[in-house]
Amino acid sequence: MSSKIAVVGCTGAVGIELVKCCHARKSVFGDAPPDLYASARSAGKTLDTPYGPLTVVEFNVETLKAKAYDFIFLAVSGGFSLENAIPLTTNASGTPTYVIDNSSAYRYHDEVPLVVPEINFDSIAALDSKLIANPNCTTAIAAMALYPIHQEFKLKKLIVSTYQAASGAGEPGMQELLEGCKAHVNGDARPENKIFSHPLPFNCIPMIDKLQENGYTKEEMKVAWEMKKIFGTDDIKVSTTAVRIPTLRAHAEAITLETEKDISPQAVVDCLKGKPGVVVEDDPANNVFPLPLTCSGRDDVSVGRIRQSLIFDNKGIDLFVCGDQLLRGAALNAVLIAEAIVT
Ligand code: HSE
């Protein structure tokens, strides 16, 4: 049986990947393409998708409710989600519509599950919620690598340094990076930075998102807030520095972790072996480790540079994680939530 799916915000970087991920899982959702919605500005456009050309329709909450979708993916701003996500969970036929929201609007609401399906799929049934929040990209990528380690060795502290790609600022962010690089190669004047706070090419910007009162940014605090909710514990202390770097679409994170139980690099390799959605790529003598370039377009999160911590000794590990920001960090995670509901 086919699922009826809508993608709202289909013309953005995450929206486009949502359509591709649904197509890649045709065996689960059926052959029918999702219906595509966006603002009046994009309505009427035709998008080239793996299903063939599809026309974008202007979003209207009543139109969507009348269609009685099984799944509605929201790849829109937090303000839009706050206004529309809950109304969209009920439809004209009275059948369940699951709304999977990629914004941060509902991530910290106690009654809304924040889900990485490999970790806490059960929280959807436990909270009996049709609205499901998709985590921030850095959290989803780190959580995939860290949860198996937490289960076996119990995490106490995490020190996270992120290396975040331009795609985190959407298609306009990617364009700004590409145009800045092209201008440099062509010897043209450097285009003005409009999306990022400073020019991104040949640079790194050690502040992403709004400053909080504690001097950390919202992007940095998201890792702490979301990791605790997904792992279902308040006992892990997390401190993050989030940095934008001139890569295109994969985020990387250097993580130092402290555990309650003794841990070793080999124990981490053994514990991650065979875990769905995670691969270990760790042969530093041959320059094999996770790279944004090789992780782009891939579903798995890659883990490498696994070393015993020089600070926490046999209760600590340093490692490097990398994952596609638009896939595991956004669209793929959302579609895997829907897949887990269907199967
Ligand atoms: N906030 C993230 C970033 C993207 O700026 O990289 C969230 O998916």
Side-chain angles (χ1 to χ4, degrees), residues 65-297:
K65 284 163 82 75
K67 294 249 185 176
Y69 289 107
D70 299 307
F71 297 103
I72 298 175
F73 295 109
L74 297 182
V76 289
S77 69
F80 184 101
S81 292
L82 274 180
E83 196 177 326
N84 296 294
I86 291 177
L88 288 172
T89 58
T90 53
N91 67 53
S93 310
T95 54
T97 295
Y98 287 93
V99 175
I100 304 174
D101 180 27
N102 197 55
S103 82
S104 61
Y106 285 99
R107 285 183 192 148
Y108 316 117
H109 287 222
D110 288 344
E111 69 283 9
V112 177
L114 175 65
V115 178
V116 172
E118 290 84 349
I119 299 174
N120 64 338
F121 178 68
D122 293 353
S123 63
I124 299 172
L127 292 174
D128 191 19
S129 178
K130 299 288 175 286
L131 172 58
I132 301 164
N134 208 36
N136 191 43
C137 41
T138 40
T139 314
I141 290 165
M144 287 298 292
L146 294 177
Y147 190 65
I149 299 174
H150 176 59
Q151 279 183 303
E152 202 164 324
F153 303 98
K154 216 151 192 314
L155 293 173
K156 279 174 71 178
K157 289 182 192 145
L158 297 173
I159 302 163
V160 181
S161 303
T162 74
Y163 307 80
Q164 297 185 217
S167 59
E171 186 60 34
M174 295 162 90
Q175 282 310 320
E176 186 166 301
L177 172 61
L178 289 169
E179 277 157 27
C181 292
K182 262 189 244 157
H184 177 83
V185 170
N186 296 336
D188 297 339
R190 195 163 65 189
E192 191 194 338
N193 52 293
K194 293 188 177 141
I195 304 296
F196 300 111
S197 60
H198 293 272
L200 191 56
F202 315 105
N203 206 1
C204 75
I205 306 171
M207 192 170 113
I208 301 176
D209 211 343
K210 294 189 187 73
L211 268 183
Q212 309 292 286
E213 276 183 6
N214 64 2
Y216 287 78
T217 67
K218 192 168 177 208
E219 183 74 4
E220 289 164 344
M221 293 313 298
K222 281 176 182 177
V223 184
W225 298 331
E226 297 182 19
M227 197 76 78
K228 288 175 188 179
K229 183 165 176 181
I230 295 165
F231 285 14
T233 175
D234 280 330
D235 296 342
I236 306 173
K237 288 190 162 189
V238 183
S239 192
T240 301
T241 303
V243 182
R244 184 78 65 200
I245 64 161
T247 50
L248 211 51
R249 59 173 286 168
H251 283 1
E253 302 175 51
I255 302 175
T256 295
L257 56 93
E258 188 192 14
T259 50
E260 264 180 28
K261 298 185 187 163
D262 281 1
I263 189 166
S264 69
Q266 188 57 48
V268 172
V269 173
D270 293 344
C271 138
L272 294 179
K273 207 181 214 163
K275 293 291 182 305
V278 188
V279 288
V280 173
E281 294 178 296
D282 196 21
D283 182 8
N286 289 306
N287 289 318
V288 174
F289 26 68
L291 295 170
L293 209 53
T294 48
C295 286
S296 294

